Amino acid sequence: MIRRQNLERSASIAIRAGVLLLVLGLTAIAQDRNPVIIIPGLSGSELRHKDTGERIWFRALRSKAEDIRLPISDDIATNHDLLVPGDVLRAVRIGGLKVADVYGGLVEALEGRAGYREDSWTTPAKRGSAAALYVFPYDWRLDNVTNARRLFRQVEDLKRKLNKPDLKFDIVSHSMGGLISRYAAMYGDADLPTGVTSPVPTWAGAEHFNKIILIGTPNEGSAMALNTLLNGFMLGGVRIDLPFVHDSSKFTVFTIPSVYQLLPAPGTLRAFDDKLNPVEIDIYDPTVWNNFGWNVIRDEGFANEFSKSEQARAERYFESALERAKRLHNALAAPTVKPSDVSFHVMGSECRSSLDSILIYRDGSANTWKTLFKPRAFTRSDGVRVTDSQLKKVMMTPGDGVVTRRSLESATKAPMPGKLSAAAMETTIFVCEEHTRLPKNSLMQDHVMAVLGAKPNMASPYAASGR
């Protein structure tokens, strides 16, 4: 009996020791990994009323009084209202029923399959640096530089709370969130440089960031942003401005600086005339918008949507929004020697037909300019029919349905000789998926974990070496 008790006691001690060693081993592995920050894309964060805490974006039902328009001011960097970011948008629910996953699946995958643990920016755990996971919700309507600077300051504050001045973070960013992470890495808490044609990145973010993953990021912008500014937010090619959903009209989009900053980067817009000949267009010249009938201020309904004082400020605001968007693109594309301890990893899709070019032609019967964002057949003024298939060849290209591979890889603007482009990437990985579904794609999640070091031995048949 005594012998049996001794054996059981020895076995129990051995099991506890084994468990302890396993826990210590997993902890050591976890501590070897940097904490991770998830940065969502456009519309991927909740917006709440600052005073009441009421969630305004996104919810299925709304009152007519709710408005996500921003004030009109020519000081783009300070435009804001009473809405503030809440949580990242984890799922869309209607009547308590989850109808779509947004970023919740990515958080759950990193926690459940990679061993990360979500933590708080304001009250981090004592071990908040050991494989911790932080989400970075932000007001996606605002200027991207404003949000990049906030990210930089928030990371600085967190490191002080953790008492770890040398700690570095990895970033997993989706869509527009990639532009925010790139700017934070390249310029830190500095505003856009003024009075210079060739910005020089300081790489102030190198002290905070190590691996930066860009999922479906429009590094050279998207022609879809022009469509949004002209026609409002679209969902599957259809306006989502329904009575029970938020206002998404072109008048609302007009007030949102971040959408201007998603326009094709200077020198990257591809446009064709009715004979399918290339046309050079400076999309950042306000007179071009007036000439082609793009400027919403000239719309007959504009006066009904904005007050007299807003109308008086509208032109200057519009010019400032375009000018700041151009400066942001130039700052991100600045040739530079990137620090060796900062790495960029591009992930996206190339299996979906995506808008790469626009077509502009004169409609003789209406005496107006027409801008096509879809390859729809039309008849030229000389009677010649231009078919869908002809238009597809010049307007569409591989991508994820929103962001083209060309924009994802910053392929238009080549690096300067002897220097690395700011967008030069260590790895490029593709899966077949739609833009909005990329973060919840299980294969994409596996690639993210592999880059983060959570699955160091995973072989990726889709991975390709960086350029």
Side-chain angles (χ1 to χ4, degrees), residues 15-29:
I15 291 173
R16 287 199 296 263
V19 170
L20 178 61
L21 289 173
L22 177 60
V23 170
L24 290 174
L26 290 175
T27 301
I29 293 172

Side-chain angles (χ1 to χ4, degrees), residues 336-337 415-420:
T336 179
V337 177
M416 291 180 62
K419 292 186 177 182
L420 287 175

Side-chain angles (χ1 to χ4, degrees), residues 108-116 441-443 445-446 449 454-455:
E108 292 170 4
L110 289 175
E111 285 188 313
R113 294 199 285 133
Y116 287 93
N441 180 286
S442 59
L443 184 56
Q445 292 170 356
D446 286 343
M449 294 177 203
K455 287 187 176 182

Side-chain angles (χ1 to χ4, degrees), residues 175 179 216-229 259-265 268-270 283-284 329 354-358 373 400-404 406-408 435:
S175 196
L179 302 183
T217 295
N219 289 301
E220 289 186 346
S222 171
M224 294 286 286
L226 177 59
N227 187 20
T228 298
L229 282 161
V259 178
Y260 294 83
Q261 294 170 356
L262 293 175
L263 286 168
T268 67
L269 174 67
R270 290 178 178 172
I283 201 171
Y284 294 94
H329 276 299
S354 308
L355 179 68
D356 187 49
S357 310
I358 62 173
F373 294 97
D400 61 20
V402 175
V403 176
T404 65
R406 176 169 73 97
S407 178
L408 177 71
H435 180 77

Side-chain angles (χ1 to χ4, degrees), residues 296-317:
V296 69
I297 300 174
R298 304 289 187 269
D299 191 285
E300 60 183 12
F302 189 82
N304 297 326
E305 296 286 338
F306 296 92
S307 67
K308 292 291 186 181
S309 60
E310 288 175 321
Q311 293 175 48
R313 296 190 298 269
E315 288 284 1
R316 181 56 189 150
Y317 160 78

Side-chain angles (χ1 to χ4, degrees), residues 328-391:
L328 173 58
H329 276 299
N330 288 337
L332 292 175
T336 179
V337 177
K338 180 174 63 62
S340 59
D341 54 348
V342 177
S343 62
F344 290 99
H345 306 266
V346 168
M347 300 184 185
S349 173
E350 58 177 349
C351 69
R352 307 286 173 146
S353 185
S354 308
L355 179 68
D356 187 49
S357 310
I358 62 173
L359 188 131
I360 303 173
Y361 70 97
R362 190 75 179 174
D363 185 338
S365 60
N367 195 30
T368 58
W369 286 99
K370 299 288 186 181
T371 305
L372 293 185
F373 294 97
K374 284 189 174 183
R376 291 175 177 168
F378 70 97
T379 301
R380 295 185 340 206
S381 57
D382 58 6
V384 175
R385 187 72 172 168
V386 182
T387 66
D388 293 357
S389 58
Q390 289 176 303
L391 291 172

Side-chain angles (χ1 to χ4, degrees), residues 102-122:
V102 185
Y103 292 103
L106 176 60
V107 173
E108 292 170 4
L110 289 175
E111 285 188 313
R113 294 199 285 133
Y116 287 93
R117 170 186 42 80
E118 187 171 357
D119 212 331
S120 166
W121 291 92
T122 55

